[in-house]
Amino acid sequence: MSLSHITDHLSSSNSLRDLVNTVQSGQRVVAADLPESARPAVLGAALRAIDRPALVVTSRQDRAEQLCSSLSAYLRADHPAHLWSAPDALPYEMLPVDRSASVRRTRELDAMSRAATDQGIWVTPVNGLMQRIVSPQELESHTRSIRVGHRISVDDLTSLALRVGYQPGPMVQEQGVIARRGGILDIFPPGEDFPVRLDFFGDDVESIRRFDPHTQRSIDRLDAIRLLPPFELPVWHLPEIAPRLAELDLGPLRDEVREDWERRIQQTTSGTIPDAHDLLSGFLDSAVSSVLDHLPANTVIIVDQPDAVRLAATQYGQQAVELERTFLEAGELPAGIPLPYIPAERALAAVAERTGIAVGSGDASRGAVVSFADVGDAPVFLGNMASMIDELRERLSGGWRISIATDQVERLTDILEERGVYPRKDKRKRADVAAPLPAGTVEVRPSDLTGGWGWTTGRLAVWTDLELFGFRKQVRRSGQRTTLESRSFAQGLRPGEHVVHVDHGIARFSGLVRMEMQGIEREYLLLEYERGDKLYVPVDQSDRVTRYSGGGINP
């Protein structure tokens, strides 16, 4: 639930106004003396005032996920921050590419192209900026807008979809999949919540309908649909780079590795997307494009802890260099492959050139400094409810506004009311947009925030479960499958198919089973391992499972 009303109160801070004015004047600004737990609130208030697209750069993926979740809590519920996920694998690791992650990245790239009007906000770890991706021009030129009455043959549209990376299948239940039955074409493009069915009459698109992938029944009719490529790399260039791949010297490779590369070259020649095709990104992306190239020129770049970001980028580049050397010496990688990533120094220079706000440690000499010394951490109670009530009463009598953000709303409300402290009841119809909090008032709202803070000058505070009970809520990974995507993925698996669990590795999918645990019946993916072990994964947690992709070779 949104805490955007808290940022409304915070917007009266003199420090925040100075920060916003400095950014709008075109200068770089360093936000100093700002506790980590207060950064999402301050950034949320600043970005609402600046009213421009923004990219927040962090040091690590987990930090990006946490900051994205916390930042979204202080933004309007219909305008959250989005995560640009960096690849899980290091360059040269040659792991199977996660198609669902590629679909999500393509969807975000498309949103970035419209950010000048939608004012989008993204969060990424710095290695997400070191990923080579399709250029904006290439993405736009291979995106098709299809309207009812559009004249194009079903054969041509199918060929186009396959060329840009759509996977053919008997039925469409996952994004990035296409299925054809005569004059009917089913396709699930990135950016759509449901697959789309195009009916053709000759070479004319007669109708476009969304449909439920489970019942196959139509949901509604559309006038037009945008068909985005399902990959963030220009895989349509694969046949063109095949001659360059064929020139690689495979002689020093070990026999089984040489066979893999020969198969990879054959697949590339035929236009088939090989496993670990991100290794070929240096061949595919001659322009060396990154996420920054897709963002509007007026995007505000925010660097969270610049020193940590610089260190993380440098270490990532060093790891890539070490992996390349190791694989070359072990005969697992042919020489002459263009860098499949953007070097750290180039990525850092691009970030430094466009940085508007630096938060935390860094080179303060490179911008104006705005101090948030009157913003501090929240008091810690560690389960001592009596102490918490006393502190709360004292602050409320002093005119403080306090929002308690917790996942134990009913429990805390009961505790407060039993001791004569009554949280305000927001009776407005739109529960996702809270009314301003009057002075001397406390509220209890559901939230996943992982830390609280207080603004002394403005007498405003947010307390969370960390301060109240002594534990920090674990943020679930952003970019996970939605309920519909989880169901579609589970139903799209075939018994006997190999899958990969994020914690337990490669298994064989044996089907969907229903079991009752503690009086609750749920549906599970049954995964069987080589020595007979069985793992039951709830369907709603299927984002921890991906299809195994070994380029036609069984694990």
Side-chain angles (χ1 to χ4, degrees), residues 20 41 47 63 105 162 387 404 408 434 439 446 450 499 504 507 513:
V20 170
L47 291 175
R63 188 173 181 84
R105 293 190 189 104
L162 294 175
S387 176
I404 298 180
Q408 303 188 53
T450 57
V499 296
H504 303 289
V513 297

Side-chain angles (χ1 to χ4, degrees), residues 482-546:
T482 63
T483 300
L484 174 63
E485 290 172 337
S486 295
R487 169 67 56 181
S488 298
F489 172 78
Q491 293 188 340
L493 292 174
R494 300 185 304 275
E497 182 177 357
H498 288 100
V499 296
V500 183
H501 189 276
V502 66
D503 295 318
H504 303 289
I506 298 173
R508 182 177 288 104
F509 173 67
S510 296
L512 294 172
V513 297
R514 299 194 69 87
M515 294 194 307
E516 184 175 312
M517 298 286 288
Q518 299 179 339
I520 301 176
E521 188 179 33
R522 301 174 72 182
E523 194 167 24
Y524 296 82
L525 283 72
L526 173 56
L527 309 186
E528 295 188 355
Y529 287 82
E530 184 179 18
R531 297 182 180 179
D533 293 327
K534 295 182 179 181
L535 182 68
Y536 296 87
V537 181
V539 167
D540 60 4
Q541 295 178 21
S542 70
D543 56 297
R544 305 187 67 79
V545 179
T546 57

Side-chain angles (χ1 to χ4, degrees), residues 222 224 371 469 520:
L222 302 173
S371 173
F469 303 112
I520 301 176

